[in-house]
Amino acid sequence: MKTNLLSLLLLLSAGTLTAQADNEQVVTVNGQKSAKTVSKLTFSGDNVVLHFADGSTQTVDMESVTIAFTVVDAIKTLQTTDSEEPILYFDQQGRQLKQAPVKGAYIMKRGNKIVKLITK
């Protein structure tokens, strides 16, 4: 736990960390997987109108369409931004601390980024 906290503090002292994850969309029409990405769905009676990201459309019976979304949870992009802002620590009552407590729950702030930490 102390190693995780130390790693987090090092990352925050080096800058801001952003990780991005992608969602994958699988569209199947009449049993055939579509290579296009659906950007919008509209309905007309028992039919669904698939509006694709490339601007094209396709109207099909609702029962013949399956759309599945999967989350790709691997980190794709990692960016750090150097910051000269000091790290400030606060207790649960909002009082500023001189340093990070070894144990307990507290708030860590750097620039406009705020993180709640709990250490055991």
Side-chain angles (χ1 to χ4, degrees):
M1 184 60 136
K2 289 183 183 179
T3 305
N4 291 341
L5 179 60
L6 182 59
S7 299
L8 178 62
L9 290 174
L10 288 173
L11 285 173
L12 285 173
S13 66
T16 305
L17 176 69
T18 20
Q20 298 174 342
D22 287 335
N23 291 328
E24 184 177 309
Q25 178 190 104
V26 179
V27 180
T28 307
V29 179
N30 294 321
Q32 298 292 320
K33 183 177 174 183
S34 175
K36 298 180 182 182
T37 302
V38 174
S39 60
K40 181 173 142 182
L41 297 173
T42 56
F43 300 94
S44 175
D46 289 339
N47 293 328
V48 62
V49 181
L50 304 169
H51 300 264
F52 296 103
D54 66 0
S56 64
T57 61
Q58 182 179 3
T59 304
V60 292
D61 187 322
M62 265 192 272
E63 292 183 7
S64 66
V65 177
T66 304
I67 300 176
F69 296 94
T70 58
V71 177
V72 179
D73 59 0
I75 294 175
K76 186 175 181 182
T77 307
L78 194 61
Q79 300 170 340
T80 59
T81 306
D82 291 333
S83 175
E84 299 299 323
E85 298 286 330
I87 298 174
L88 303 174
Y89 302 97
F90 299 90
D91 64 13
Q92 294 283 330
Q93 289 73 37
R95 297 180 296 237
Q96 187 170 352
L97 306 172
K98 293 184 184 209
Q99 62 185 15
V102 176
K103 205 176 205 183
Y106 60 97
I107 308 295
M108 183 170 55
K109 179 180 187 274
R110 181 170 194 173
N112 62 355
K113 304 290 183 191
I114 300 172
V115 178
K116 180 178 181 179
L117 296 172
I118 300 173
T119 57
K120 295 182 180 183

